[in-house]
Amino acid sequence: MTKERWLEDLCRFLPEQQVKIDEPLHLHTLTRMGGPADIFVTPITEDETAETVKYAYENNIPLLLLGNGSNMVVRDGGVRGIVLNLKSLQAIRVDGESVYAQGGANIKEVSKVAAKRRLTGLEFACGIPGSIGGALAMNAGAYGGEIKDVIRQATVLTREGEKLVLSKDDLALSYRKSVITKKGYYVLSAEFDLEFGKQSVIDAKMSDLTYQRESKQPLEFPSAGSVFKRPPGNFAGKLIQESGLQGKGFGGAEVSTKHAGFIVNKNNATANDYIQTIEMVKAAVREKFGIDLELEVKIVGEDLA
C-alpha cells in the first residue's frame, strides 16, 4: 500500500484537515529538527485516536506517537508510516483533589491548573515541557518529584486499538520506565491524586522551581531537554562538564555551555549533527570515566538517503 492509499483510507473516518501527507516534523519537535512523516494524523477525539491505531495495526503500518516533541530526535530522512499527534486531546478537569488530563495536554499546564485550584503535588512538573502521555510513559520527574508520586490511573490504547484502564500498580513506573514504553501503549488520559495546600506556599514553590529552571537550563535554544539518564550515583551533566565538552559539537549542534546535560540546536543543526554530538559525548565520558551514558531522549526515523 502507498501513503496515498493510507491517506484515502484514513479520510474515511477522519476529516481531511486532520490528515497530512509528507508533513515536516521539524515543525512539531522542540529540537526544530526532523524530516517528513509519510502521514501525519491529529485526531480530536479518543474514538478517532482508537480508529487510527486500529487501522495501522490491521494494515501492518508503522505507527509513531508524537506528543509535543520534547524528548525526541527525529532523523533527517523522516518517519515512514503514520505519525500520530495527540496535541488536540488536551482537556483538563479538576474534581475536588483529583485532576484529569488528556494525553495531549501539556504537563506544565496541568501543574498550573492544579496550583490555581490550591492543589499541591504537581509543582515539580511546572517546568517539564512534555505532554501528559510522554510524562507518564517516561515517569517524568524533576526537583525531587515524579509522576509515580501522584498518579492514580491512566486510560491507554493497546497496539490493537483496545482501551484499557491501568492502575498505579499496573503502570509499573520506575526511573524513566513504565509498562507504557514496555508494551507500546498510547496514553489517552491520566488521573492524579493531589491534596489541598496553602496557596502562598504553592505559589512560592512554583516560582522558585521556575526560577531554578530558567536560570540553569538553556531555554534560549531549541533542544530535546536532558539528553542522558542519570547514571547510578552520579549526574550526566557533571560527567560531561568534567570531560571538557561544553561548547563542543558538530555542525549547528553543541553541548550547552549553560548546562552540560543539554545538547542545543544553536545554528540550524541537522538531526545528524545532533546525533554525532551525542555519540561524541558518550565516547568521551566512556573514555574518561568508564561510564556508558544511557539515552533519555528517543531517536526515531531514518537517515537521509
Side-chain angles (χ1 to χ4, degrees), residues 38-179:
D38 284 345
I39 299 291
F40 187 79
V41 178
T42 52
I44 62 173
T45 69
E46 292 184 2
D47 286 344
E48 287 178 352
T49 306
E51 287 293 325
T52 303
V53 170
K54 185 178 178 182
Y55 173 78
Y57 173 76
E58 291 178 346
N59 291 278
N60 199 31
I61 302 169
L63 180 67
L64 173 70
L65 180 63
L66 179 70
N68 74 337
S70 63
N71 202 42
M72 185 176 287
V73 177
V74 179
R75 289 187 173 95
D76 300 308
V79 176
R80 306 290 72 80
I82 298 171
V83 172
L84 179 64
N85 185 268
L86 301 186
K87 64 183 180 181
S88 296
L89 297 181
Q90 50 182 288
I92 304 170
R93 295 197 302 269
V94 179
D95 182 11
E97 294 181 315
S98 297
V99 175
Y100 163 92
Q102 286 187 302
N106 192 303
I107 185 68
K108 288 194 297 185
E109 292 305 312
V110 178
S111 72
K112 290 176 183 177
V113 169
K116 287 179 181 178
R117 296 294 190 94
R118 200 166 54 81
L119 292 171
T120 184
L122 266 176
E123 293 94 332
F124 74 88
C126 68
I128 296 175
S131 65
I132 285 289
L136 187 57
M138 294 296 290
N139 185 31
Y143 304 111
E146 293 179 297
I147 292 295
K148 72 179 181 65
D149 300 332
V150 290
I151 190 70
R152 175 197 294 167
Q153 65 181 31
T155 301
V156 304
L157 289 171
T158 67
R159 287 172 173 162
E160 296 79 19
E162 178 189 0
K163 191 179 291 188
L164 300 177
V165 177
L166 303 179
S167 69
K168 179 177 181 176
D169 289 342
D170 294 334
L171 289 164
L173 299 171
S174 60
Y175 180 62
R176 305 299 177 260
K177 293 180 181 179
S178 69
V179 74

